Amino acid sequence: MTVTVYSTPTCPFCNQLKTFLGENKIEFTNIDVSADQEKAQEMIKLSGQMGVPVTDIDGKIIIGFDRDKLVELLGIK
């Protein structure tokens, strides 16, 4: 399973999301879209959103910190 988080360092929901993934031992790649315009454009193309966080789980896109959707897609019990 490939998990990518598009975030910014100052976003509280991004930090909650990354903490949640860490607590559940989910490996993920974090992309700071404030420092990488190319990745920011990639995130917008994938999600249609300019806001963060955006999470890509094997091609399934979650916008914001949606705990229920994360639990479902990641199989967290």
Side-chain angles (χ1 to χ4, degrees), residues 6-16 18 30-35 52:
Y6 296 87
S7 67
T8 63
T10 57
C11 162
F13 293 110
C14 300
N15 293 327
Q16 288 176 10
K18 292 182 278 189
N30 181 61
I31 297 173
D32 178 358
V33 296
S34 69
V52 288

Side-chain angles (χ1 to χ4, degrees), residues 7-40:
S7 67
T8 63
T10 57
C11 162
F13 293 110
C14 300
N15 293 327
Q16 288 176 10
L17 169 63
K18 292 182 278 189
T19 298
F20 174 79
L21 293 173
E23 287 172 347
N24 286 283
K25 298 180 178 37
I26 303 295
E27 289 187 25
F28 65 96
T29 300
N30 181 61
I31 297 173
D32 178 358
V33 296
S34 69
D36 189 333
Q37 280 306 112
E38 191 174 303
K39 291 294 185 178

Side-chain angles (χ1 to χ4, degrees), residues 55-76:
T55 307
D56 181 343
I57 303 172
D58 288 338
K60 294 181 178 72
I61 304 300
I62 299 174
I63 296 165
F65 177 41
D66 185 338
R67 182 185 303 265
D68 293 338
K69 194 72 170 169
L70 289 163
V71 166
E72 175 189 332
L73 291 177
L74 295 168
I76 296 170

